[in-house]
Structure formats: structure tokens, C-alpha cells
Amino acid sequence: MRQINATVSITLDGVVQGPGRADEDTRGGFTHGGWGGRYNDEVMGREMGKDMATPTDMLFGHRTWTDFTTVWGSRTDDNPFTAHMNAATKYVVSRTLENADAWQNSILLSGDATGTVAELRAGEGNDLTIIGSASLVRSLHAAGLVDTYTLLIHPLTLGTGARLFEGPAPLTGLELTDSVTTTKGVIIARYTRS
């Protein structure tokens, strides 16, 4: 059986929307996009590199996969994240996407997210990493399918924006297995479902 890890950049008030770029996710009139960039440093790069050192497949929701396709799919730079993202097998969960041909090594998982991901998780293969894809993480969390979380907790509040857990989330115990603080005050906390 595969493990599923969700890696999420999050603010102190739980916002996960648009950490990468101003235009990344403006749904609901969100104007704070790009909030995470100023907190990148060597420590964060090293910690994310550790996560990439073990081969994993990737799991995306439709919206995040489409965004990442335009950002990473055509890049050829020497950034190790580029090589990792393009080489990895990428599963995209969607009820509306017709195919996953826009980004190499992508496989479409059609239908109900929890059902298709539960089948994938039960099979053989590399563990699965979710980056972003908050609505997918919420659905999989509610179904008990997320095994570990890597939260990059940024030292700011935004007041508005989509939160990791909007509405009720099931009671779930988590155990802190590792934490590192970056030079810019981001706490990278790794939790395992207990």
C-alpha cells in the first residue's frame, strides 16, 4: 500500500490560497497572491530537497495540475525541482478534464476523488505526494486517506483566502515527527496520522 503525503504552504490563520504568485489563484477576489515567496531560503530549499530525494509519484487536483502544467511543464532550467516535477509520474484527479496530455508523465484519474485515490493508494508503487491542491487534500483527509502532512507554516496572517480546512474536518490525531525552523521564521512541521 502506498502512503499519501500532503505538502502545504499555510499562513498562521490557515490560508493556503496563492502562495506562489500574484496571479496563481485570484478566486473570490483574493489579492494577496505570492505571499510565500519572500520566505524562501536555503533551509526551506534543503528541506524540500530532502522530500524529493525519495522517489514519489505526485497527486494533483485539476486546478493545481493545470496551473503547474503552465509553470513547470515547459521549463528546462537546472533547478532540481524542475527535473523532479517533470520526471515524476503525475496523477490528476478530475471529473471534467478530458485528458492529461498537457504535461509529460501525467495520468488522469476520472470520477470521484476519494474512490479513485483510495484504489491508487491500495495498489503497488511509489508513495504519493500532494503539493497544494487544498480541496483535494480536504476530501482525502475527510476520507482518512492522507497519511502524513508537511506544513510550511509561514509567520503571517492574511485575513482572507481559502483555508486548508474550511468547514468541519473530522477529528484526527496527528503526531509531530519532525520540525525545522527556517532563517525567515517558517516552521516546517511534519505530522503523521496517529
Side-chain angles (χ1 to χ4, degrees):
M1 182 170 79
R2 300 173 173 210
Q3 298 281 307
I4 296 178
N5 176 65
T7 298
V8 181
S9 291
I10 188 168
T11 65
L12 289 177
D13 57 343
V15 175
V16 294
Q17 187 171 358
R21 302 181 322 277
D23 66 342
E24 181 179 359
D25 184 355
T26 58
R27 289 177 293 175
F30 185 68
T31 59
H32 300 301
W35 53 265
R38 67 179 178 237
Y39 294 99
N40 293 340
D41 69 358
E42 260 183 53
V43 176
M44 186 182 293
R46 184 176 63 243
E47 290 299 312
M48 295 301 95
K50 281 183 193 176
D51 291 345
M52 290 188 327
T54 303
T56 64
D57 294 340
M58 303 190 77
L59 184 59
F60 291 99
H62 179 162
R63 200 198 136 318
T64 302
W65 178 82
T66 300
D67 182 64
F68 276 40
T69 296
T70 59
V71 173
W72 296 98
S74 60
R75 288 178 70 164
T76 57
D77 56 31
D78 60 357
N79 179 332
F81 293 101
T82 301
H84 176 78
M85 297 288 280
N86 287 323
T89 299
K90 294 166 280 293
Y91 294 95
V92 56
V93 180
S94 175
R95 288 188 171 140
T96 59
L97 195 63
E98 293 183 17
N99 65 61
D101 298 340
W103 192 6
Q104 65 192 14
N105 305 320
S106 293
I107 299 168
L108 178 62
L109 299 178
S110 298
D112 173 66
T114 56
T116 57
V117 172
E119 286 179 30
L120 181 65
R121 181 176 177 256
E124 296 295 319
N126 291 333
D127 287 345
L128 299 157
T129 298
I130 305 170
I131 298 176
S133 299
S135 62
L136 178 61
V137 171
R138 277 186 224 111
S139 296
L140 299 181
H141 175 82
L145 296 173
V146 179
D147 300 290
T148 63
Y149 289 88
T150 300
L151 299 181
L152 287 76
I153 306 163
H154 290 66
L156 81 157
T157 60
L158 297 176
T160 64
R163 287 167 169 73
L164 181 56
F165 295 114
E166 295 185 305
L171 176 63
T172 305
L174 300 169
E175 177 185 344
L176 179 66
T177 57
D178 183 48
S179 66
V180 173
T181 303
T182 72
T183 62
K184 297 192 176 181
V186 175
I187 299 170
I188 302 171
R190 293 179 174 92
Y191 295 95
T192 299
R193 182 182 288 267
S194 51

